[in-house]
Amino acid sequence: MNKSNQTVNHLGGADGFRAIACLAVIFHHLSQFLAMQSQSPWMQELQSFLLMGNAGVSVFFVLSGYLLASPYWHKYLDGSAYPDIKQYVVRRAARIMPGYYIAVMVATLITVLFHVPTEHFWARLMAGLTFTAGFHYITLFPNEVNGPLWSISFEVFCYVLMPMFMLGLYRWTFKQRSIRNGLLYWMGVFILILGLNQLVHLFFSTGNEGKGWDNGWIGGAKYWMPNYNPIGFFGQFTIGILAAGVAAGLRQSSEGLNRMKYIGLFDFVSLGGLFCSFALLWYVRHMPEFSLSLQKQPFFFPFYSLLIAVSLCAASQSRWAAKILDNRVFKFTSKVSFGLYLWHFVIIGVSSVTWAKDFQYMGTKSLSTWFSVSGVVLVVSFLFATLSFYFVEKPVLHWSHGKRKFMGNTHQPLLEA
């Protein structure tokens, strides 16, 4: 197997996981607009399951850690020098900033034009623009219109920490590079992150005054934090980094083994792990938030993120699982996933105050109305995301890679993580 084929196979399944994560988050938000008590029992159960789709955020973090760490593991095991950090920074900025800044400014413009009541307007806007929103509950949500933007500052924080810790790996084991030493190092980092996260809980717990979603976005953020915090989310990101290391080790081992002998096992583990991740969400669909979680971290940490990591890692070595996950629909959804994440919530909000005024939080009693409005929102979201990719994201990515043509290959980890 040549090097290019190895790279593609190594990242097999990534498009599918990104698409699943994105669609799960969208249906999580859409499901919040269906009046559960007015539905039949089977629909109530399905709605409870769809509401667990916010766990797609965890998939994004695991996947980003996996993709961004992959080239570092490549060079580490090949005995190469530490990757060019300038290139990493430029490409990360090119991937995140253009689409994100437009989304922030449009949401801010809507807030101003429609006189949406907002507390701490300037502090939240500046925190959003500087990717520091996640360090305090007042600024966690940059504005009142586009709630999902909260995760971007956490993601950027992980982008900063990952190469710093990777530099430690390169220097610590520069004479004895091996997958064993690398994984031990990153398991040590994981334990360190858990310890630091415990300190965050100890010293930065929020008070009860104004706490809870009944008090708006800031009250909701106060309820979330410190269970939601940048350090804790790097723990989920680290699980993806460890998965990338395991995948690199498997790839290295397969060069001297008959990989075809085990390929069916990888398909079974990948699809089985994905099935178990859905089963876990079904099992916990009626449990309180932050239950079944280490350190009360969101998304049933680390059990859910570990299932995703195992499935993703095995997909990289599989024959059929990667092909199933990377189908045409998922590949396109993956390509425009960042735009989908940035715009779907704004489209839901604008729809609920213009043409679909019955589409209110837990207020839509008619299932057919909910399906119709949700379908329109989904189509419009894909339209906005496609325009965002081809007219905003792609040209900047093209520039950052110094290419005359950019094909939008989602198998390039520094482009699409």
Side-chain angles (χ1 to χ4, degrees), residues 151-185:
S151 69
I152 304 300
S153 66
F154 284 11
E155 185 96 1
V156 171
F157 183 72
C158 292
Y159 294 164
V160 173
L161 285 188
M162 192 273 288
M164 293 172 61
F165 280 112
M166 275 293 183
L167 181 60
L169 171 64
Y170 275 64
R171 291 185 175 179
W172 178 59
T173 61
F174 72 100
K175 290 184 179 179
Q176 296 180 328
R177 291 190 183 185
S178 69
I179 192 63
R180 174 181 175 275
N181 287 341
L183 292 176
L184 284 174
Y185 172 86

Side-chain angles (χ1 to χ4, degrees), residues 62-302:
V62 173
L63 182 61
S64 290
Y66 177 85
L67 294 177
L68 293 178
S70 291
Y72 285 87
W73 283 110
H74 273 287
K75 291 183 178 294
Y76 172 77
L77 294 175
D78 289 344
S80 303
Y82 184 76
D84 183 2
I85 191 64
K86 179 180 178 181
Q87 183 184 72
Y88 172 85
V89 172
V90 169
R91 291 182 176 180
R92 285 294 85 214
R95 186 68 190 95
I96 294 295
M97 293 176 69
Y100 171 75
Y101 276 148
I102 290 177
V104 169
M105 297 314 296
V106 169
T108 302
L109 185 62
I110 292 174
T111 301
V112 173
L113 291 179
F114 290 90
H115 305 288
V116 179
T118 304
E119 296 181 271
H120 306 283
F121 175 85
W122 288 108
R124 293 164 70 182
L125 175 60
M126 294 308 298
L129 293 176
T130 56
F131 301 103
T132 57
F135 290 95
H136 198 280
Y137 66 84
I138 287 178
T139 58
L140 179 63
F141 296 103
N143 59 62
E144 303 286 330
V145 175
N146 200 343
L149 297 182
W150 69 265
S151 69
I152 304 300
S153 66
F154 284 11
E155 185 96 1
V156 171
F157 183 72
C158 292
Y159 294 164
V160 173
L161 285 188
M162 192 273 288
M164 293 172 61
F165 280 112
M166 275 293 183
L167 181 60
L169 171 64
Y170 275 64
R171 291 185 175 179
W172 178 59
T173 61
F174 72 100
K175 290 184 179 179
Q176 296 180 328
R177 291 190 183 185
S178 69
I179 192 63
R180 174 181 175 275
N181 287 341
L183 292 176
L184 284 174
Y185 172 86
W186 272 103
M187 282 190 281
V189 172
F190 182 71
I191 293 172
L192 172 64
I193 293 302
L194 292 182
L196 292 175
N197 189 53
Q198 195 62 41
L199 293 177
V200 171
H201 279 262
L202 182 62
F203 293 105
F204 297 100
S205 292
T206 56
N208 291 323
E209 184 179 354
K211 191 173 188 174
W213 290 105
D214 291 341
N215 297 290
W217 288 108
I218 293 179
K222 197 172 185 180
Y223 166 73
W224 270 6
M225 299 184 83
N227 299 336
Y228 284 64
N229 74 78
I231 295 291
F233 268 78
F234 188 66
Q236 306 202 32
F237 200 89
T238 300
I239 289 177
I241 295 172
L242 283 164
V246 173
L250 290 171
R251 186 182 66 256
Q252 187 181 59
S253 299
S254 69
E255 294 173 0
L257 297 174
N258 182 5
R259 178 172 166 272
M260 297 301 294
K261 180 180 179 181
Y262 302 98
I263 199 164
L265 176 63
F266 290 121
D267 284 295
F268 175 79
V269 172
S270 179
L271 296 178
L274 186 60
F275 174 81
C276 288
S277 71
F278 282 109
L280 175 62
L281 295 183
W282 179 265
Y283 175 73
V284 300
R285 68 192 185 282
H286 295 307
M287 288 186 180
E289 192 172 10
F290 308 125
S291 60
L292 198 67
S293 295
L294 182 64
Q295 297 180 319
K296 293 186 178 181
Q297 288 202 45
F299 316 129
F300 316 102
F301 175 85

